[in-house]
Amino acid sequence: MFRGRDILTILDFDRSELEHLFEVTRKVEEGEIKPYLRGKILATAFFEPSTRTRLSFTTAMQRLGGSVIGFGGTEGTSVMKGENLADTIRMLDAYADVIVIRHPMEGAAKLAAEVAEAPVINGGDGSRHHPTQAMLDLYTVWREMGRIDDLEIGLLGDLKYGRAASSFLYGLSKFRPKKIHLISPPLLRIRREVRDHLKQAGIPIEEKEELELESLDVLYVTRIQKERFPDPAEYEKVKGSYRLTVEDLRRAKKNLIVMHPLPRVDEIDLEVDSTPHAKYFRQAAYGVSVRQALLSMVLGAVE
């Protein structure tokens, strides 16, 4: 199901495959199965900054007994000398059993997969796809709420440039949420292809500017992606559009969970961290377990 497979977009997976990943992740997380990847090497090719994605992949591989090579930024690499992406990937392919790539260019992961014989995992490319983030986000909802179907889910913030938000929405389309609330400034509404995909999947959506918490089971908050705006003036119009506070949460359901792909800037007040609604740090921790399961399945240690 996963052995030897490239992980390029969440759209490549169906519901049954995702649910199988969730079950394997839960068993890994709870110590029911202990896959072993001794002698296997993971290469991380991160052409963009990353904390959680890179370190969680590194942690996952080391917990599985494997080794990690790679770079987190192009300084000190042959990329600075003008080496092209394809040649960099060919080099890593000769050294490693699996490659994780993050790149600002959309389509970079697909190109890497075409060049490499080893499986390639997309750690985020451009503003469209971040499949393992979507996997861990879906797992967080499934683990915390017991299901994904029949929930009302709100996404707040940058829905246009944020690849985590887009990938999460694509992932939700594999399930049957009751309704998705898309809350953003007009400048940051979801792209047409994402909206059309949700509609084709038959999922009710509502686009609005105001945050209304009362009916939500899940609130997925995103930061405004300053680095992806083509025009700095456009960013200035929307920065600081939302800030979730403890006062806001007084209107929420008792079991509402608040998620965030992180890093946050000022869109969630620090006081929210101490409420039972805050699940974003646990969400990040789940990322290690999800990636342990995924690496084990891609490299054939677990079916």
Side-chain angles (χ1 to χ4, degrees):
M1 186 180 287
F2 283 78
R3 184 192 291 260
R5 189 169 177 178
D6 296 318
I7 313 297
L8 302 181
T9 167
I10 196 72
L11 292 171
D12 290 338
F13 297 85
D14 61 30
R15 176 176 179 144
S16 64
E17 290 171 327
L18 292 171
E19 289 178 330
H20 180 60
L21 174 64
F22 298 164
E23 292 291 352
V24 173
T25 298
R26 186 189 59 77
K27 290 177 181 178
V28 169
E29 179 191 347
E30 297 181 350
E32 293 181 31
I33 57 174
K34 298 180 179 180
Y36 201 39
L37 293 179
R38 183 176 180 181
K40 298 294 185 180
I41 298 174
L42 164 70
T44 58
F46 278 62
F47 295 82
E48 275 190 325
S50 172
T51 301
R52 277 149 297 276
T53 302
R54 184 174 177 231
L55 293 182
S56 65
F57 266 113
T58 298
T59 302
M61 193 62 173
Q62 291 178 345
R63 284 185 177 174
L64 294 167
S67 303
V68 182
I69 63 172
F71 54 87
T74 57
E75 186 175 349
T77 72
S78 292
V79 175
M80 297 297 291
K81 301 176 183 177
E83 182 174 62
N84 63 48
L85 175 61
D87 284 358
T88 300
I89 296 302
R90 288 188 181 96
M91 175 195 71
L92 295 176
D93 193 35
Y95 300 158
D97 301 285
V98 59
I99 300 167
V100 180
I101 179 173
R102 167 170 286 196
H103 202 283
M105 181 180 71
E106 292 171 11
K110 183 178 180 181
L111 172 61
E114 290 171 353
V115 169
E117 294 184 13
V120 170
I121 299 175
N122 184 359
D125 64 338
S127 59
R128 296 180 187 270
H129 297 294
H130 195 345
T132 64
Q133 180 68 50
M135 289 171 177
L136 76 90
D137 292 341
L138 293 167
Y139 180 75
T140 300
V141 177
W142 182 83
R143 194 79 164 87
E144 293 293 324
M145 303 299 289
R147 69 190 195 282
I148 299 173
D149 293 341
D150 300 318
L151 297 177
E152 289 206 30
I153 300 172
L155 281 81
L156 174 73
D158 184 351
L159 308 185
K160 181 178 181 180
Y161 296 113
R163 60 191 170 203
S166 294
S167 291
F168 184 46
L169 287 168
Y170 282 138
L172 288 173
S173 74
K174 308 295 181 177
F175 297 86
R176 297 188 302 277
K178 183 178 180 181
K179 187 176 183 179
I180 296 178
H181 301 254
L182 302 168
I183 310 146
S184 69
L187 282 173
L188 296 178
R189 287 179 179 163
I190 59 168
R191 298 186 304 276
R192 177 178 295 178
E193 70 268 21
V194 183
R195 183 188 300 108
D196 290 346
H197 182 84
L198 293 172
K199 289 182 177 179
Q200 288 170 7
I203 297 174
I205 63 173
E206 181 181 354
E207 294 185 82
K208 52 191 175 184
E209 293 182 53
E210 297 299 320
L211 172 61
E212 298 169 346
L213 285 170
E214 290 79 1
S215 68
L216 298 183
D217 300 294
V218 177
L219 177 64
Y220 189 96
V221 184
T222 68
R223 70 184 174 89
I224 307 297
Q225 307 265 316
K226 180 180 180 179
E227 67 275 18
R228 303 201 186 281
F229 277 75
D231 182 357
E234 188 180 69
Y235 169 74
E236 292 298 323
K237 294 177 184 177
V238 295
K239 71 175 183 178
S241 295
Y242 302 105
R243 183 176 179 84
L244 183 68
T245 67
V246 171
E247 185 63 33
D248 294 325
L249 291 170
R250 298 190 202 284
R251 310 192 309 271
K253 291 181 178 179
K254 185 177 180 180
N255 66 340
L256 168 77
I257 65 170
V258 178
M259 299 170 58
H260 193 304
L262 302 175
R264 67 172 162 187
V265 182
D266 56 5
E267 58 277 359
I268 298 180
D269 191 277
L270 295 177
E271 291 184 356
V272 173
D273 298 357
S274 59
T275 72
H277 302 289
K279 302 298 181 185
Y280 28 88
F281 294 119
R282 186 178 298 182
Q283 175 187 353
Y286 284 144
V288 176
S289 301
V290 170
R291 287 165 176 139
Q292 277 183 264
L294 188 63
L295 288 169
S296 299
M297 294 165 76
V298 168
L299 291 174
V302 176
E303 291 299 329

